[in-house]
Amino acid sequence: MASVALKSFIGLRQSTPEKPHFVTQTKANPNPKSLRRFYVAAAKTSPKINGRNLRVAVVGGGPAGGSAAETLAKGGVETFLFERKLDNCKPCGGAIPLCMVGEFDLPLDLIDRRVTKMKMISPSNVAVDIGQTLKPHEYIGMVRREVLDAYLRDRAAENGANVINGLVMKLELPKERNAPYVLHYTSYDGKKGGVGEKKTLEVDAVIGADGANSRVAKAIDAGDYDYAIAFQERIKIPDDKMVYYENLAEMYVGDDVSPDFYGWVFPKCDHVAVGTGTVTHKADIKKFQIATRNRAKDKILGGKIIRVEAHPIPEHPRPRRLAGRVALVGDAAGYVTKCSGEGIYFAAKSGRMCAEAIVEGSENGKRMVEESDMRKYLEKWDKTYWPTYKVLDVLQKVFYRSNPAREAFVEMCADEYVQKMTFDSYLYKKVVPGNPLEDLKLAVNTIGSLVRANALRREMDKVSL
C-alpha cells in the first residue's frame, strides 16, 4: 500500500519535458558598461483555424464528460460527446458535497436525499453519530447517477455539444504536428439492434472521460493503476424502515465488510444503496457484501434487491494524464480519493478545468491548442487538490489497516472538532486550517486511541495463538 501511495503522489506532480515556446528580444543598450537586459515575450505559436472552430471529442458521458462538454460548447469549441449507454446506472454511492450543488448549478430536484446525519459503525458495532456540527443549510446530497449524468449530458447538448450514442473503439494518433486525431467508433444513434454502425471522426483534441477502463488512456500509454472493486445492491425496503434512512447514511468498517475500505448504506429516493469495496481481496467481494448486509440486517429486514451493480474504482492517479492534445479526467485520470472513495465532484471539476484550459488556449475555439495549453489544467489541478489527496491517503494508511485501528478511528470520529474539520473539508472541498490548540488536543487523543488499538491488537494476537 505504501508503494502505491508513493507512486500516486509522484505521478500527481509529474510533468513532461516539453517547454513553452518563447521569442527572445534583446534591446540595444547605449551604455556598454551597464548590464545587458533581456526582454522575454511569450508568443502564441499555434496557428489560427480558418473556416471552422476547434473540434474536441469528449469520450465518456459521466460527470467528467458532461461537465467538460458543456464548458467546451459554451466556449465556442465544436464539441462531440460520446456515451455508449445513455441510461447507464453506474454503481456508485452517489454522495455529492454541498459546494457542487452551487458550483455546477444543479437543480435541487436532482437530489434524492439531504443527509444531515451519519453513523460510523466500528468492527464491534459501536456506533458514533456524526453531523452535530452541520449548520442548518448544510447537507450531503444523495443522487442517482443515471439521473445526474443524464442531466449534465442534456445540458451540454442544450449549449451546443453533439451527443453521440456510440462506443469509441480506437483512437488513432496523428503522425504530424497539428494533424487530426481519428476516432473509430460504433454508432448506435437511431439503431434499435446491438450491431451499430462503424464510423470515424477527426478532431483536434480529445478528453478521455471514459472511466477506470479508459480506452483513451490505453491509446496514449497512460500507464496502469491499482483499483478497487465496488459492489452495490439497491434494496427496496418497507416504508416504515425507509423513515429511519430519511436523512441518515451509515458507514461500516471492519475486516468482515472490507479489509481495506468500508461498507455503506446510503439512502436514495425510494430505496437504499448497500455496498462495499476492496483493492486487496477482489475475489471475496461478494462475501464482503453479504457481511455488509448482515451488519445492517435489522434496518433493511424485508427488503428486496432491485438492482445489482459492480464497477472498478481507481486507487491513485495514472502515471501519465496528458500526451500531446489528449488529456484524461475523472476516473480515467484516477481522481478518486483514498479513505472516502469519493469521485463524483472531482470528476466533474476535472472535466470543467480541462475544458477551460482548452477554451482559453484556443482563444474560444479560434486557434489550434498545444500540449502546453492543456498542461495548465494539470498544473492548476495538482496545486488545488494535491493536499486533499495526501491527507486522505494518510488517514487510510493509519486507520484502515486493522480492526483495532478502525475502532480507534470510530472513537476519534466522536470528537466534535474532528467532525467539524471533516465536514467542512468534505462539503467545501478544501483542506481546512485548524485551531492550533484543538489540533494539539486531537493529536494527543489520536495517539492515545492508536496506543489502545495496538495494545488491543497484541492481546488479540495472543488469544489467536
Side-chain angles (χ1 to χ4, degrees):
M1 183 68 75
S3 62
V4 169
L6 180 62
K7 179 169 61 177
S8 72
F9 294 112
I10 290 174
L12 197 61
R13 311 285 279 186
Q14 182 172 310
S15 61
T16 64
E18 177 164 332
K19 293 180 173 60
H21 301 280
F22 295 100
V23 174
T24 59
Q25 299 175 338
T26 305
K27 199 167 185 177
N29 194 327
N31 184 1
K33 293 182 181 181
S34 66
L35 294 173
R36 295 181 66 192
R37 296 185 180 183
F38 291 90
Y39 296 86
V40 181
K44 185 71 179 177
T45 60
S46 58
K48 286 189 174 182
I49 300 174
N50 297 317
R52 62 175 180 85
N53 284 8
L54 186 79
R55 303 163 302 185
V56 176
V58 181
V59 183
S67 299
E70 179 189 6
T71 303
L72 290 170
K74 283 182 176 179
V77 174
E78 187 175 2
T79 307
F80 302 89
L81 175 59
F82 288 86
E83 173 56 45
R84 169 62 184 100
K85 297 179 179 179
L86 296 177
D87 60 348
N88 186 37
C89 302
K90 182 179 176 182
C92 173
I96 62 172
L98 181 63
C99 65
M100 185 174 180
V101 178
E103 196 174 331
F104 288 85
D105 196 23
L106 299 179
L108 295 181
D109 59 4
L110 285 184
I111 300 171
D112 288 341
R113 300 278 175 173
R114 299 186 186 188
V115 168
T116 56
K117 300 175 184 176
M118 183 172 287
K119 283 188 181 292
M120 179 69 72
I121 303 170
S122 78
S124 62
N125 280 326
V126 173
V128 168
D129 292 319
I130 301 174
Q132 56 187 320
T133 64
L134 288 178
K135 298 179 179 64
H137 70 282
E138 292 180 330
Y139 61 88
I140 298 171
M142 290 292 168
V143 300
R144 284 165 291 161
R145 284 291 303 275
E146 62 271 26
V147 177
L148 174 66
D149 294 7
Y151 174 79
L152 293 174
R153 284 195 304 268
D154 291 345
R155 193 164 71 180
E158 290 169 4
N159 282 280
N162 301 292
V163 178
I164 298 173
N165 182 197
L167 176 63
V168 174
M169 305 298 294
K170 178 183 176 184
L171 175 61
E172 189 177 327
L173 307 182
K175 295 181 173 59
E176 299 177 4
R177 184 182 179 188
N178 294 333
Y181 291 84
V182 181
L183 286 88
H184 298 260
Y185 68 99
T186 302
S187 172
Y188 298 95
D189 284 333
K191 303 289 182 181
K192 293 184 178 180
V195 178
E197 181 181 358
K198 304 296 183 185
K199 292 185 178 181
T200 60
L201 176 70
E202 291 186 348
V203 294
D204 302 304
V206 178
I207 295 178
D210 48 340
N213 294 320
S214 170
R215 288 182 174 172
V216 175
K218 289 182 175 65
I220 64 170
D221 193 22
D224 295 325
Y225 48 29
D226 290 324
Y227 64 93
I229 285 292
F231 190 96
Q232 177 173 275
E233 295 167 323
R234 299 197 192 194
I235 302 178
K236 178 76 171 175
I237 61 178
D239 291 343
D240 61 325
K241 293 189 178 297
M242 196 68 206
V243 172
Y244 173 77
Y245 289 108
E246 180 179 2
N247 61 346
L248 171 74
E250 292 180 325
M251 294 175 63
Y252 293 85
V253 291
D255 283 335
D256 58 333
V257 299
S258 176
D260 54 347
F261 204 58
Y262 64 88
W264 64 85
V265 181
F266 288 168
K268 303 295 182 180
C269 58
D270 59 353
H271 62 277
V272 292
V274 181
T276 185
T278 179
V279 178
T280 57
H281 292 67
K282 297 180 181 70
D284 295 326
I285 188 65
K286 290 187 177 180
K287 180 181 75 174
F288 299 140
Q289 177 66 12
I290 291 171
T292 304
R293 281 206 314 268
N294 287 339
R295 292 277 292 273
K297 64 181 179 181
D298 291 340
K299 289 163 281 191
I300 61 174
L301 191 65
K304 178 183 178 183
I305 298 174
I306 57 177
R307 193 180 193 96
V308 178
E309 306 160 325
H311 198 76
I313 299 176
E315 276 290 287
H316 58 84
R318 289 188 189 271
R320 189 181 195 187
R321 294 167 287 154
L322 176 66
R325 288 168 277 135
V326 180
L328 302 177
V329 297
D331 282 13
Y335 294 151
V336 176
T337 59
K338 290 288 189 72
C339 197
S340 67
E342 186 206 353
I344 297 177
Y345 173 81
F346 293 111
K349 186 69 173 180
S350 62
R352 174 179 282 183
M353 287 172 65
C354 183
E356 287 172 343
I358 293 174
V359 170
E360 180 182 352
S362 68
E363 297 178 359
N364 295 98
K366 302 305 180 186
R367 284 185 177 274
M368 179 63 67
V369 289
E370 298 179 334
E371 181 173 316
S372 58
D373 297 311
M374 302 178 75
R375 181 158 295 283
K376 292 178 181 178
Y377 134 67
L378 286 186
E379 292 169 353
K380 184 177 179 181
W381 175 269
D382 291 350
K383 181 179 179 180
T384 305
Y385 295 113
W386 185 83
T388 298
Y389 283 86
K390 186 61 179 175
V391 167
L392 291 173
D393 177 63
V394 170
L395 284 176
Q396 179 161 315
K397 279 191 182 69
V398 173
F399 292 111
Y400 281 15
R401 60 185 181 177
S402 68
N403 273 355
R406 295 182 188 103
E407 294 284 354
F409 178 54
V410 173
E411 178 184 328
M412 188 179 73
C413 288
D415 186 273
E416 186 173 326
Y417 179 66
V418 171
Q419 292 188 26
K420 183 179 188 317
M421 295 291 289
T422 301
F423 272 104
D424 284 354
S425 297
Y426 176 83
L427 294 176
Y428 303 108
K429 288 295 163 256
K430 295 177 181 176
V431 177
V432 180
N435 178 297
L437 180 59
E438 291 295 332
D439 285 342
L440 179 60
K441 289 164 58 180
L442 174 59
V444 171
N445 291 338
T446 301
I447 292 170
S449 295
L450 289 173
V451 168
R452 288 192 294 277
N454 286 328
L456 176 58
R457 182 168 57 184
R458 286 194 296 270
E459 292 303 316
M460 290 173 66
D461 290 341
K462 291 178 184 178
V463 171
S464 64
L465 291 174

